[in-house]
Amino acid sequence: MKQNSMLAMILAGGRGSRLHDLTNKMAKPAVAYGGKYRIIDFPLSNCANSGIDVVGVLTQYESILLNSYVAAGRRWGLDAKDSGVFVLPPREKADANLNVYRGTADAISQNVDFVDSYSPEYVLILSGDHIYKMNYAKMLAEHKACNADATIAVIEVPMREASRFGIMNADEAGRILDFEEKPEHPKSNLASMGIYIFNWKLLRKMLVADMKNPDSSHDFGKDIIPELLNDGKNLHAYKFKGYWKDVGTIDSLWEANMDLLAADNELNLNDSTWKIYTEDVTTLPHYVGPDADIKRAFITQGCTINGEVKNSVLFTGTKVAAGAKVVDSVLMPGAVVEEGAVIHRALIAGGIRIGKQAVVGSADSEHIELVAKRVKGVE
Amino acid sequence: MKQNSMLAMILAGGRGSRLHDLTNKMAKPAVAYGGKYRIIDFPLSNCANSGIDVVGVLTQYESILLNSYVAAGRRWGLDAKDSGVFVLPPREKADANLNVYRGTADAISQNVDFVDSYSPEYVLILSGDHIYKMNYAKMLAEHKACNADATIAVIEVPMREASRFGIMNADEAGRILDFEEKPEHPKSNLASMGIYIFNWKLLRKMLVADMKNPDSSHDFGKDIIPELLNDGKNLHAYKFKGYWKDVGTIDSLWEANMDLLAADNELNLNDSTWKIYTEDVTTLPHYVGPDADIKRAFITQGCTINGEVKNSVLFTGTKVAAGAKVVDSVLMPGAVVEEGAVIHRALIAGGIRIGKQAVVGSADSEHIELVAKRVKGVE
Amino acid sequence: MYKAFGIINPAGRHIWVEGLQSYRPIGAISFMGRYRVIDFPISNMSNSGIDRIQIYIRRKPRSLTDHLGTGRQYNINSKRGRLEVLFTENGAEHDIYNTDIASYSENMECIERMHHPYVVIAPSYMVYSADYSELLQDHIDSGADITLLYHPVDNAKEAFLNCNTLDLNRQKGVLAVERNRGTAKSRNIFMDTYIMKKELFVELIHKAKSMSSMYTLADIVNYECNELDIRGAAHHGYFGSITDFNSYYDANISLIDLKNSTSLFNDDWPIYTKTNDSCPTQYFDTSSVKTSVVSNGCLIEGTVENSILGRGCHIKKGAVVKNSIILAEAVIGEDVHVENQVVDKRAKLLRVKEIVASKEKPGYIKRDDIL
Amino acid sequence: MYKAFGIINPAGRHIWVEGLQSYRPIGAISFMGRYRVIDFPISNMSNSGIDRIQIYIRRKPRSLTDHLGTGRQYNINSKRGRLEVLFTENGAEHDIYNTDIASYSENMECIERMHHPYVVIAPSYMVYSADYSELLQDHIDSGADITLLYHPVDNAKEAFLNCNTLDLNRQKGVLAVERNRGTAKSRNIFMDTYIMKKELFVELIHKAKSMSSMYTLADIVNYECNELDIRGAAHHGYFGSITDFNSYYDANISLIDLKNSTSLFNDDWPIYTKTNDSCPTQYFDTSSVKTSVVSNGCLIEGTVENSILGRGCHIKKGAVVKNSIILAEAVIGEDVHVENQVVDKRAKLLRVKEIVASKEKPGYIKRDDIL
């Protein structure tokens, strides 16, 4: 806490049900991405790289995998003396029964005691399921420079898509004038990224009041931010430029993976000054066999490739046998493609086996096919 | 998991309500003990010293402090590559709502998926609120040597106290013949320590069956062990010799602290071959002032003592001002005794201030006085 | 298994990997793209339950101490266990007094402090998998004074020429430990791995020292063959001995073959190393890679065959890499043809377009060099 | 504050703590019972947000590398940050060529690799608290080329004799950096702490080297006083300079005084160190302790006055310890009287019953000695 007196809280409770079978056994922030990462590696690595030492992760749905994943703070270097990643599920208290988090604000409210124990000056609220690289220290510097009560990170989106987002209308200095959740007729194209810096004293007061309000849905976007604006508080919009993606659907998850294949992809995971840290897997480097043919691919350690791989992302420990063909597809950790199988425009879930000569997906489908069950091949 | 293929699960969900105000804001396993420790440091350090790498901690009641405390596995060296301390609170699943743990066995049942993810051969079940040093590797070796289905650690208790415990009746080879929970007329003095080693495959089967049994209270002692005996399984009693204490009341917590003052106390925290690891506190060594008079005491870093301390245990950061007198007492972390105050046979809770000239407790009281609120002194 | 502590012994003066070793001790040399040679003995020890390990080192300690850290990546409990790097301060590099015995002797205090009854000594320059807990149990059960690990080979005429061999009787009793002179095809190559009581180890150090300042541990063990019950234990599976530049090259290249790598690496016996947090490797439109081992973080636009790429290499358009070992962050420039080479870390092969050696005498490109 | 990286510079050849330094570099010497001297500069850097720190070291590295580990105890992010121990291999111990410039120069590659625009250099042998992020901001705002930290004292005639002083003009411009010759009471003691651009630092190293093989960083900075804008920044609070045995003894003893220790240690500026997991200290019926600082793990049956006890000391019945610094795990036997002594680690004072020196010339008992 010495460095910048800001503590981060990551909201990671959501199931992400539009990801279907991928989130049966894990929460959305734990979903695999980019060959070797999980989505939550992004906010956590951003925290580590921004000099934030203490991170609370608010979990709820099928949190077992997520809890044990983030608990090992060493993955992001957040395991030093006064650092830590702390899993914060709902809990039983002397004066309260075990209850689910009712909204994003409620999740923080139920953990006011946790935040208080670090007495931070600022609290950074993050979402656990966005893919982006961002220096929160810069955002904090702007927050301080503007003497803001709260700062909200915003990104310019195409005007025609603006109505899908929470839209901030700000003046030239960046002061937020009003906020509309998914407006039919958006006045600006500055979408909220769901990233907030609050002065903790103020937020604490707001949360206590919000808990008592029976009409509140206990949500930052719907309740806390409008209330702050009502109170005439100084809300600042921090403009972010760069890659940012909320992967809510199978199509968008596939797309986000495909984005990595561009020679100059904006996310640039190869930047050694802003690394994304993740689980350290004990495997060999990947092996490429004598019959392999690989073009435009993103391939990580532990893979064994002896077939054709085109325009695809291969996650840890996947296998592509000789004569098999993987095109425009994503193979999640441990997926196996047997001899002669052909895959087009598909996302193969972790550990799934595609049998010999099987054909999955098609080159001209509109949507990406999610394969979450074994596909039998020719025996 | 390489070393001995045994995973440990620590049951740490209980409030310990007979500890009154000490457990308002924390679960019993988080209660401070012995100057610088928390009770749960004992099972966790025992695990580390026994070569166990992966420990699940089942929490429930006011778990915030406990969760963040144990999450920093570095404290017990359990932060290496394939190691970890994992906090396991109740959780929401795709097919189940958020529900409290209904019993000790239910807590494990709800986390079968966690255990499975490590595919251990053996599972060690521990209680989070006992004070003792034990090499579980030796217990496992005996478990293997006896070809047991389950092994239960037992300790000889005075026969007159036996009816307070779960009593095992075993043959000479250590095979358990029957088990009685708090028997009126105990047949032996071998009390169960609540420490079990199970072959995971067998336990898993038992738990699945137990979950479906509407008559079960989902408890190891009441349901699982009797069921195993019914099934004619080979249950082995592992005899433990040494210090062991379940600190359920203020009196017994005080007593356990006083035990440390004996020159040859059985627990011997000074043994460098079996250290108890705990939080690494950033304070100076303790300072003893020119007017101090200390005899028979156990004092840790961060304390400032300028008064009289006799037969007492002083926890991290406590202060005893000049002219103050602390006798037969326990000062928990951060407690402050001001000038001229006199304390006898009391347990002063963490952070509590005893004002100038105040008198607390008495030398001949039957019970120990718990002081959990500030005592005003002469202003 | 808390019965034994481990020692990773330093390479003796007859062992020298030309080029690479100028920059770091053998243990710190890159192996199979993402490993260092020392990852193998330490992982073997950690997997065998040995969590107190002493690593002896003589010079250029930075790359090794950086790599080792506190040993957490080897799954060694950071409280209970310990990786201890012990330095030898006396004696120069090629000094004839530069023996393992001299290193032990200088750090005798640290050896005597260990409370374990047994010691397992393994070299920092050999690559193999072995379960020391089984070997120790066998050693104890056998009643032998010393157990030596060996690997039977049938190519000792042309390979393992810097190694010692064990001369065994029918009961696997060791008759002599002697240098491989390349006079016979079939030999039991000594794997420089010892198991014995700690007390005996200390005794041997003292004895060796008093007998000759040039004696090594192998010398004194050989000397004691008649006096002590010394036995050989055969090792099976992959065995690579890195004692010079050619054996380094050969060991790497041989492990591209899946058959060999499967016999060295297996899921139940993890070989740990320090992660570098590199992202996956990116293949471009123009890439062509066959029969190779590729680490993370590479950018591949050219052709790679029968080679090993370290982390973060860049193989540019038109470049051809064959039968080569490319260490981390090297750059092979456009249209550069590299064959039978070891390219050290961060070297940039840009202007000279043909860098080709023979398979028998592979070439070496220095660290940070620009060609 | 990612603008600067940190350097902990090694003690020069004029600095020598007789006795203690034979076993470890000054930075690794025990201080105030549970600390090592180097904990202070590293904690200052960590608290200031500096997370890339180079520590230069010349000899006996084991105790220091053991103590530092990966820097987690200093709250340095183990991925983003790094404590790098850099060794100097050339040059012997008392060698006249043994300068800080020689160390930097030998590791120039590692300095050049740092991408931070500024460097903060602090010594491994001085004890103080300072916020380098504030100092750096002041440095940048001032437009100076170099900022030097100094501590004004009025006892420079008898103390700080091995230190440099700053000769300042009224605008705090540095006119000269020169050795304290003990000729005046009031002096600005130079705290061997520098802030400057990394580029300038590299330039100064090259320049110093080309001018004289014996030049130190302080020498070249002194030489540049007319050319560059070099300014002094005054330090307030506790300042201890450990340049010889007496100053080591004095610095420790002075910190028993709560007034001094409160000015060095404060809750908002933690001084981190490596924990040893010792249990609390046990006082027995016969103990009598006054005005002392006591670490954990001790057993106290005797009398202790105006002293500092390291971890795990045993003061037996009838023993009297006065005005002394007892390092970890030392044993003061029954009825042994110790006064004005520094007792090194694990020494056992058993048979000689009077070990008394004068306060002006405190005594020293060697590590592991049995008296």
Side-chain angles (χ1 to χ4, degrees), chain C residues 59-62 66 70 72 79 82 84-87 89 109-110 113 275 277 346 367-368, chain D residues 59-62 66 69 72 79 82 84-87 89 109-110 113 275 277 346 367-368:
Chain C
R59 42 183 291 287
K60 301 275 176 205
R62 189 171 55 85
D66 262 17
T70 52
R72 285 196 301 156
K79 289 285 184 185
R82 188 161 157 209
E84 199 173 9
V85 179
L86 296 171
F87 302 84
E89 304 218 330
E109 187 193 353
C110 299
R113 210 181 289 149
T275 178
D277 300 297
R346 286 190 302 269
R367 200 177 74 166
D368 294 307
Chain D
R59 44 181 292 286
K60 301 273 175 206
R62 189 172 56 86
D66 261 18
R72 284 196 300 155
K79 289 284 184 187
R82 189 158 156 213
E84 200 172 7
V85 178
L86 295 171
F87 301 84
E89 304 219 330
E109 186 192 353
C110 299
R113 210 181 288 150
T275 179
D277 300 296
R346 286 191 302 269
R367 200 176 75 167
D368 294 307

Side-chain angles (χ1 to χ4, degrees), chain A residues 124-159:
Chain A
L124 171 68
I125 309 286
L126 301 170
S127 164
D129 44 14
H130 296 164
I131 296 166
Y132 64 108
K133 298 198 295 192
M134 181 170 173
N135 189 342
Y136 306 128
K138 283 192 186 161
M139 181 171 168
L140 177 62
E142 198 167 304
H143 175 81
K144 286 181 187 171
C146 296
N147 250 314
D149 294 302
T151 295
I152 304 172
V154 296
I155 186 165
E156 290 188 23
V157 293
M159 206 65 194

